[in-house]
Amino acid sequence: WQLAAAALAVGYLLGSIPFGMIFTRLFGAGDLRKIGSGNIGATNVLRTGRKGLAAATLLCDALKGTLAVLLAAPFGLLPALAAALGAFLGHLFPVWLKFRGGKGVATFLGCLIGLEPLAALAFAVVWLAVAFTTRYSSLAALAAAAAAPVVLFLLGAPATAWLFILLALLLWQRHHENISRLMSGKESRIGGK
Ligand code: G3P
């Protein structure tokens, strides 16, 4: 339990690094809070028109989750799951941004990469399929997050699946404004104006 608590704390610190905010400030791409959805994630960084910064945000927001899991994994499954939970909560509630963080999509994927690469692959396939057909980043994330626990159960990883049910619920909750916009047809599309 002590190891799990340590993993949770280290995961939180890693997860709380707001790469989207850092990159856009560092490279003069504007204030993310005043652009598009106001979110700190890669989708909103893309709305600044800086594709490279968006890609870097996606990569780093994912890899901080992967790194947290991989650092804890040698100590067992429980510390690894605690690290994933910590990283995800760190991204959603970073102390540095007065706990107003992101929606967790990239970090969710990064944690999956560290814990169950096949489930991460399934997440990516669902995300890409929905994103390519609808061009809604949010809808793609909602579908992929819902699919992940199912795939984890199918892969015989029930403990991980239960954790990802919790993470998916938090991710869905974080997308409540996107869900309202999707239902009223007002959600912005990738590549849209
Ligand atoms: O990664 C978050 C995405 O699902 C939605 O982002 O900026 O459109 O709210 P955004």
Side-chain angles (χ1 to χ4, degrees):
W1 286 106
Q2 277 171 347
L3 276 172
L8 187 78
V10 173
Y12 177 86
L13 282 178
L14 279 168
S16 70
I17 307 171
F19 284 107
M21 213 77 168
I22 293 171
F23 292 154
T24 46
R25 279 201 194 159
L26 211 58
F27 297 97
D31 184 353
L32 275 184
R33 296 296 192 191
K34 297 189 179 131
I35 293 167
S37 65
N39 191 41
I40 62 167
T43 302
N44 208 34
V45 175
L46 192 60
R47 296 191 185 103
T48 67
R50 304 281 290 269
K51 287 185 186 165
L53 294 186
T57 301
L58 174 63
L59 192 68
C60 292
D61 277 350
L63 287 182
K64 67 189 184 186
T66 311
L67 180 64
V69 168
L70 293 184
L71 286 173
F75 301 99
L77 181 60
L78 187 64
L81 295 180
L85 176 64
F88 191 76
L89 293 178
H91 183 82
L92 263 61
F93 309 104
V95 59
W96 329 111
L97 300 180
K98 300 193 179 113
F99 302 101
R100 286 174 53 236
K103 301 182 184 178
V105 182
T107 308
F108 187 103
L109 172 62
C111 292
L112 268 184
I113 292 173
L115 287 163
E116 290 287 344
L118 274 179
L121 186 66
F123 179 100
V125 168
V126 172
W127 194 96
L128 288 170
V130 177
F132 269 106
T133 47
T134 68
R135 291 199 293 119
Y136 289 128
S137 173
S138 54
L139 187 63
L142 291 165
V150 179
V151 175
L152 286 165
F153 277 118
L154 291 174
L155 289 171
T160 310
W162 281 109
L163 173 67
F164 276 80
I165 288 176
L166 174 67
L167 300 193
L169 287 173
L170 285 167
L171 184 148
W172 270 67
Q173 197 281 329
R174 272 292 159 127
H175 281 78
H176 67 273
E177 289 174 352
N178 301 85
I179 294 168
S180 304
R181 285 197 294 268
L182 283 165
M183 296 207 294
S184 60
K186 287 179 185 149
E187 179 69 315
S188 68
R189 295 184 197 256
I190 300 168
K193 64 176 174 59

